[in-house]
Amino acid sequence: MPTTLMEPAPAPPASGATPPPASGSAIPSRPKRSDADISVAEIISRARARVVAPVSKTPWLLSTVSAVALWASFTPLDFGPLAWVALVPVLLLVRMPQATRKMYLALAVGGWLFSLMTLQWMRLGDPAMYFAWAALAFYVGLYFPVFVGLARIAVHRLHVPLLVSAPLVWVGLEYARAYIMTGFAWYYLGHTQHHWINLLQVSDLVGAYGVSFLVMMGNACVAELIPASAFEKLKLVPQSTAEETARLDRPFGAHAIAVGATVLSLVAVLAYGSVRRSQADFQPGPRIGLVQGNFPSSLKHEENQLGRIWQTHRSLTGLATRQQAELIVWPETMFRWPYPALDPTLSEEQIKALHQDLSLEFWKDTQAEKSLRDMSEASRAALVIGADVFAGDQEGMRVYNSALFFEPGQGLAGRYDKLHRVPFGEYVPMRELFPFLATLTPAAGGMGLSAGEHVHVFQHKDHRLVPLICFEDTVPQLVRAAVKATRDENGKEIDCLVNLTNDGWFHGSSELDQHLITASFRCIETRVPMVRAVNTGISAFIDGDGVIREPNLFLDFDAMMKQPVDNGRADPTRPVATPVDARTSMRDPKTGRYHKELNAVLVSEVPLDGRTSLYVRWGDWFAGLCLLFTFGMLVVGLAGIGKPRTPVLDLAA
């Protein structure tokens, strides 16, 4: 029952006062009640009704600071330590008692700013990609407000500590992003720590998501230590809420628990990484030569450049052969002539009906296969070549982005068609419903590519290799599934992942570095080494610890072409003294950065790894639990389950 103020007894009427009206006369309107006539409960109710969300420009500042700091944590600045505090400003918006007006709009703009700066390399691919850049940046930027909204539900409705709720929600959203709209598993928070090798080894238990969880845990720990006075100075609480503001100050014990839990988690992960690295016993595997041409995609599609591209890659193959490479890998689609693959059971009428612009002679031309078979024979080495395959069979014609495997003495020994296509880069989603979308892709004629059906294993002598094309090495669930699906009858996993990539779209930008960083996590997750042949770079050998290894030989073809001529022509395969300006390492010794945009050959033995991975066996159990928690917060928010803490009152409003 509400407690009411006592009403005073009525006083007798003064002399000469007007008597009360007689019975049956008109009754005057009831006088307005004074505050003394209102119950305490009603006063509180009115005060609450007057409360409005505080208006503050601080969320705009905090979201911008986090956006810039997070961008600086990734390439090109690559200042990884900053990632441990980059999201503290955003987490203050999770802790604050009451959301401010337009706070989520500020977070969305901050997220879009981060994504625009981070993904700026997309615009370099093709003028049509400006729209895709803006659209993808908008989509990725939405994760900022969604994260804060779901984390606030966990903290303020269910009272889950920020140290727990923030990492769970963040990783759950990263996992969702790996699948939504075919997935975009780039720029995970854990990728910022690629230099801290021991920290990364937990990925063979829980994937790269475990590293993201730990880094967000560090951010949440710092955010928990921010005192209430800072919220007042930042105007994140109303002026007259001293009692509510005081709740933002945690007792010393809570601070000690947060710091202790974070430090212990970090120490445990580092200890695990040290133990796992000590168990590695890398054995030399096949000697592989990686061919790296330097042809921007604008040149790649010019017909007058086809001969030059072919001759350069043949010369680079010759260099690898002279260095006893037994397997030579070309980048994605750098065999520039169409490679027809025709079902031999088709009749001539069926062949002609496959495509109106492709003649019978095109389908029966074997020159492409003969050229690659002859090159394999001449080099006495197996070849993995990236090519566009035109396949014709009973179901019709399809175009694939493929890896062709040639063995000397055998010819074509295998073919892998890319499974994971890039939206608006290799195919147009919903093109049948919205034909205008075809103008938003650089794919020729907007036709796009077909997706392959399954993973292939290339058997080279005693070694089993699984090819990956382009961005497939950035998709954790795809690489894990490929490794798990290709175990032999004895349960032995593959020996090496072979990635063929064309990063010539991006003109030496930070995309090349980030692509390499993201790919290195796949090696830790699966404990399988990877070799990468990349047009314009960065080609690399990566071991099962995710370490990018310096090759046995790094041959700078561009410098070799500047050497003195022999009988009127340069011979890059002739052993001569190395020119003074030739690069002999993957990295610039002055800056430590990788060389890009050059013709080169890398030759080395693959470091075979005998360790196994629980991540391959169990999959994304950890990230799945985080996603389940995140989805639970969404349900709580939509259903109104749980009660938020006492609303902030501003009785002076």
Side-chain angles (χ1 to χ4, degrees), residues 6 49 54 126 262 286 356 358-359 424 429 459 478 514 532 580 591:
M6 297 295 295
D126 187 271
T262 304
Q356 60 182 3
L358 299 178
S359 65
F424 296 105
Q459 183 77 40
L478 184 149
Q514 194 62 42
R532 304 181 71 238
V580 176
T591 65

Side-chain angles (χ1 to χ4, degrees), residues 440-470:
L440 305 179
T441 172
M447 180 177 64
L449 301 172
S450 297
E453 297 180 355
H454 49 79
V455 180
H456 280 262
V457 175
F458 293 164
Q459 183 77 40
H460 173 65
K461 298 180 180 178
D462 295 330
H463 302 113
R464 303 170 68 246
L465 318 172
V466 164
L468 303 168
I469 298 176
C470 193

Side-chain angles (χ1 to χ4, degrees), residues 424 427-439 441 444-448:
F424 296 105
Y427 81 106
V428 182
M430 300 181 293
R431 181 172 178 265
E432 291 75 14
L433 291 176
F434 307 104
F436 76 92
L437 292 175
T439 62
T441 172
M447 180 177 64

Side-chain angles (χ1 to χ4, degrees), residues 339-358:
Y339 190 96
L342 186 65
D343 183 348
T345 64
L346 295 182
S347 66
E348 288 192 0
E349 289 72 19
Q350 289 175 312
I351 296 173
K352 292 177 181 179
L354 290 174
H355 196 281
Q356 60 182 3
D357 295 329
L358 299 178

Side-chain angles (χ1 to χ4, degrees), residues 289-291 315-325 328 555 601 603:
L290 304 178
V291 168
S315 297
L316 295 171
T317 301
L319 281 174
T321 300
R322 291 181 66 87
Q323 302 302 328
Q324 290 78 51
I328 299 171
L555 305 174
V601 172
V603 181

